[in-house]
Amino acid sequence: MKIFDYLESHDYEQLVLCQDNESGLKAIIAIHDTTLGPALGGTRMWTYANEEDAMMDVLRLSRGMTYKASAAGLDLGGGKSVIIGNYKTDKNPEMFRAFGRYIDRLNGKYIAAEDVGTTETDMDYIREETEHVTGITVSSSRGSGNPSPSTGYGVYRGMKAAALERFGTDDLAGKTIAVQGLGNVAYHLSKYLHKEGAHLIVTDIDKERVKRAVDEFNAKAVDPKDIYSVSCDIFSPNALGAVINDESIPQLKAKVIAGGANNQLQTEKHGDILHESGILYAPDYIINAGGLMHVIEELHGKFDLNSVLDNVKTIYNNMQKVVEISKRDHIPTYLAADRMAEERILSVKESKKAEDKLLIAQKNGIAK
Ligand code: NAD
């Protein structure tokens, strides 16, 4: 892998390799872009097949965070970190403390958070060495706990904005919504949908979760393989990535796709097909940003859920902006989302440049 070529081609700022013999720490921190603010992104612990896979994962994910934070209107940049190892057998507190010391040396340029393979307790160990971590336990002074309720609310808000565009009303009463996956995010989403009077068709591989949705939300349950083809207005993926693919698209009856799962499109081509078929896709990172809005609240000192939910409400407007750009530029919504994120970063970069120019001019005594 030609690492500098790759960093240059996607305009990365910094890559940090962290290694500590005593604890066995082997980690990589990738900072993609800090134009809008410090790079916030989770710390993933995973047994990668090789170092190159770990490197590609952290690079790809950190860039994704830049887009997510920018499109959400947050003053945050994009970063991510990975710890190489088995999260069930290789962890020890000293590993996370050593990692915390590495993060601390970056002076706030990178902020860690919980991710696949790491827990709130791991974040507490990092917190012993640095302030630049979020997602610590609720019992600690400013911990925010599980962000899924905020993510679920954001998906609901984004879905309403998409419904307004496709059905001419954002009222979901009477609409039929097929919900794939009934985990943390989808449970909270389904609560809002049921309260508003939507009919739910649900599926999960976990039978207990299906039963809970049937009992609490009067949902109709179907087999996981049948969820794509049910007759519905909205399909909501909340389980796995890459579910919008060559196999699922021909089965879909929905006119809107809006869910919380990450990386729903198997490839960009599938976003193009949806666009051509008149199915409105609410881009995943636009409408599942509620979790990110939740964890950054911790950085403001005292955690306040009402203030988080006020912010998460604006996902409705973000989805509307995506639709506007899609219509303005005649492009699919997944590209419109990227454009929205890039436009914001570019405008901040330009105003920073103009400020720098003015400062230099003032220094040289030529400013009026
Ligand atoms: P979760 O693990 O609580 O829920 C996922 C659910 O999907 C589980 O109940 C699981 O049994 C079910 N599932 C797995 N395979 C399935 C299949 N083939 N068919 C049907 N159901 C299946 O996870 P979560 O926290 O609710 O997250 C859901 C998605 O949202 C993930 O893609 C996650 O990356 C994304 N996301 C979550 C958050 C958050 O705040 N939790 C934030 C942003 C994005």
Side-chain angles (χ1 to χ4, degrees):
M1 180 183 187
K2 291 200 164 176
I3 190 70
F4 275 107
D5 285 356
Y6 189 85
L7 297 184
E8 190 184 338
S9 67
H10 295 291
D11 208 6
Y12 285 86
E13 289 181 15
Q14 196 175 357
L15 196 60
V16 185
L17 302 184
C18 318
Q19 124 69 32
D20 179 65
N21 275 358
E22 210 168 297
S23 63
L25 173 75
K26 292 210 169 18
I28 313 171
I29 302 171
I31 297 174
H32 175 246
D33 189 294
T34 57
T35 306
L36 301 176
L40 189 146
T43 301
R44 180 166 291 195
M45 183 159 183
W46 199 249
T47 40
Y48 291 97
N50 53 53
E51 288 171 8
E52 190 168 332
D53 281 6
M55 186 73 83
M56 277 318 298
D57 205 31
V58 75
L59 286 170
R60 198 176 46 83
L61 292 167
S62 65
R63 188 160 166 259
M65 290 306 294
T66 298
Y67 280 79
K68 186 167 185 164
S70 174
L74 302 172
D75 294 331
L76 285 177
K80 198 86 184 182
S81 56
V82 296
I83 296 179
I84 300 172
N86 185 325
Y87 67 85
K88 288 192 181 140
T89 53
D90 295 342
K91 271 186 192 177
N92 62 71
E94 189 44 34
M95 174 181 275
F96 288 92
R97 290 191 195 105
F99 189 52
R101 291 191 287 276
Y102 271 100
I103 294 170
D104 202 56
R105 280 175 222 150
L106 292 168
N107 288 321
K109 208 172 168 199
Y110 169 68
I111 301 166
E114 199 184 328
D115 201 82
V116 176
T118 59
T119 64
E120 290 168 28
T121 310
D122 300 331
M123 297 306 115
D124 288 350
Y125 292 128
I126 292 177
R127 180 72 178 83
E128 288 176 21
E129 303 289 340
T130 184
E131 289 224 325
H132 309 301
V133 57
T134 181
I136 54 180
T137 44
V138 178
S139 55
S140 51
S141 57
R142 49 162 212 187
S144 62
N146 190 332
S148 304
S150 301
T151 307
Y153 181 55
V155 174
Y156 164 69
R157 294 287 299 165
M159 185 184 285
K160 279 175 82 68
L164 177 65
E165 173 59 21
R166 189 46 85 246
F167 306 122
T169 169
D170 72 359
D171 189 356
L172 299 173
K175 292 275 179 290
T176 301
I177 302 168
V179 181
Q180 180 184 47
L182 288 164
N184 289 312
V185 173
Y187 175 73
H188 292 281
L189 166 68
S190 302
K191 229 187 206 172
Y192 288 110
L193 298 176
H194 175 61
K195 196 169 165 214
E196 190 158 322
H199 305 300
L200 301 183
I201 301 178
V202 300
T203 196
D204 197 295
I205 50 172
D206 181 330
K207 296 215 161 41
E208 279 302 307
R209 289 182 170 181
V210 173
K211 187 178 176 311
R212 181 176 65 172
V214 169
D215 293 347
E216 283 187 36
F217 310 132
N218 200 19
K220 178 183 164 199
V222 296
D223 199 72
K225 69 175 178 357
D226 296 330
I227 194 72
Y228 303 106
S229 60
V230 295
S231 182
C232 65
D233 301 294
I234 300 173
F235 173 55
S236 182
N238 296 286
L240 314 160
V243 292
I244 307 299
N245 53 42
D246 287 342
E247 247 177 67
S248 63
I249 293 176
Q251 300 180 54
L252 293 175
K253 311 274 189 308
K255 287 282 166 238
V256 168
I257 297 177
N262 280 317
N263 306 319
Q264 291 167 29
L265 301 177
Q266 189 174 49
T267 68
E268 293 193 343
K269 176 192 87 177
H270 297 102
D272 299 336
I273 299 174
L274 294 181
H275 185 65
E276 284 151 20
S277 334
I279 299 175
L280 179 62
Y281 169 61
D284 42 23
Y285 74 80
I286 298 294
I287 71 166
N288 73 15
L292 183 60
M293 293 170 170
H294 182 108
V295 295
I296 63 155
E297 180 69 12
E298 251 187 58
L299 302 173
H300 302 146
K302 210 167 154 262
F303 181 77
D304 175 10
L305 186 62
N306 288 330
S307 136
V308 174
L309 295 179
D310 272 352
N311 204 9
V312 173
K313 227 179 197 175
T314 62
I315 287 180
Y316 187 101
N317 313 66
N318 297 344
M319 182 57 210
Q320 284 190 306
K321 277 185 220 152
V322 167
V323 168
E324 256 172 54
I325 295 173
S326 161
K327 285 178 173 170
R328 179 193 77 190
D329 298 350
H330 308 287
I331 52 173
T333 47
Y334 78 90
L335 276 179
D338 288 359
R339 203 161 282 181
M340 180 165 100
E342 286 160 2
E343 281 174 3
R344 182 164 173 245
I345 293 171
L346 199 68
S347 85
V348 172
K349 255 188 191 155
E350 278 173 1
S351 56
K352 276 186 177 172
K353 258 192 215 157
E355 269 172 33
D356 286 350
K357 260 191 185 167
L358 189 68
L359 273 177
I360 292 168
Q362 277 171 344
K363 247 187 171 172
N364 293 338
I366 53 170
K368 287 190 184 146

